[in-house]
Amino acid sequence: MSLLVKICGLSTRETLDVALEAGADMVGFVFFPPSPRHLALETARELGRQAKGRAVKVALTVDADDATLENIVETLQPDILQLHGRETVARVRDIKQRFGLRVMKVLAVETATDLAPLAGYAAVADRILFDARAPKGATRPGGLGAVFDWRVLEKLELDLPFMVSGGLNADNVAEAVRVTRAGGVDISSGVERSPGIKDPELIRAFIRAARATEELTVR
């Protein structure tokens, strides 16, 4: 099984094209105003058309209400909704049923105790993304370049597909995959020259490094 590579927070035609040509499996678009990667709907429409049929389109939201989600779904036509907030298990279930799309729930991780809600989310989501817990006072839950202790996932038994993110880059992605045995990796700030500004060479380098890990055991 090959490793899934997701480049998140893409915001221009040029950098999206770099990610697609370099072989990204998933491309993520952020809809959260406090983020430097937040997209206007009209920009999202253009990027969604550009990515259609070339990669899985992922819409990242944070505790979005139904009206916001409806606008995003109509405009981007995503394949997956990534829920990066404090959405409850019931809310995840409702979103999935209402919009008829695959849902990836993000679980913030710092210690093993943070895995306590996992079983509930795994029962309703299609995929789990483990990300580093944001520091206290942060204005957004992810895209901060923070790494969590991957050993928390070392003995994880989870039938659902899962990915890891948080502080990944071309130098540490192999170790992250080796320790967690994740089936996918997700990067945003690690391929940026400044917040929200993607660097084409960093995108290419990360995807090359991620592909080089594929002889490792993944699931």
Side-chain angles (χ1 to χ4, degrees), residues 37-154:
R37 305 164 189 100
H38 172 66
L39 283 185
L41 288 176
E42 205 45 54
T43 303
R45 188 187 307 277
E46 295 174 11
L47 297 182
R49 288 171 179 159
Q50 184 180 350
K52 186 176 181 181
R54 301 175 68 187
V56 174
K57 294 183 290 184
V58 182
L60 185 159
T61 64
V62 180
D63 299 313
D65 59 24
D66 285 348
T68 300
L69 288 169
E70 282 173 7
N71 286 334
I72 292 167
V73 169
E74 180 182 350
T75 303
L76 179 67
Q77 297 183 3
D79 302 293
I80 296 177
L81 294 174
Q82 177 177 327
L83 307 181
H84 212 119
R86 298 178 180 273
E87 299 90 357
T88 63
V89 170
R91 178 62 175 151
V92 173
R93 181 191 298 113
D94 289 347
I95 288 172
K96 181 173 176 175
Q97 290 177 347
R98 181 181 181 94
F99 295 98
L101 292 170
R102 287 178 285 165
V103 170
M104 175 161 59
K105 181 67 183 90
V106 180
L107 198 64
V109 178
E110 186 174 357
T111 68
T113 58
D114 293 318
L115 300 180
L118 179 57
Y121 287 120
V124 296
D126 298 281
R127 184 179 298 272
I128 299 293
L129 173 62
F130 295 102
D131 194 7
R133 179 173 293 284
K136 205 167 185 179
T139 58
R140 56 187 193 275
L144 300 166
V147 180
F148 69 92
D149 185 352
W150 301 318
R151 292 173 297 178
V152 172
L153 305 181
E154 207 164 12

Side-chain angles (χ1 to χ4, degrees), residues 6-10 15 37 168-170 187-194 196-207:
K6 176 171 173 277
I7 306 296
C8 196
L10 292 157
T15 52
R37 305 164 189 100
L168 296 181
N169 55 52
I187 191 168
S188 186
S189 62
V191 289
E192 291 179 346
R193 62 171 72 104
S194 61
I197 308 300
K198 294 289 189 280
D199 184 299
E201 284 311 311
L202 291 178
I203 292 173
R204 294 186 185 102
F206 180 78
I207 293 176

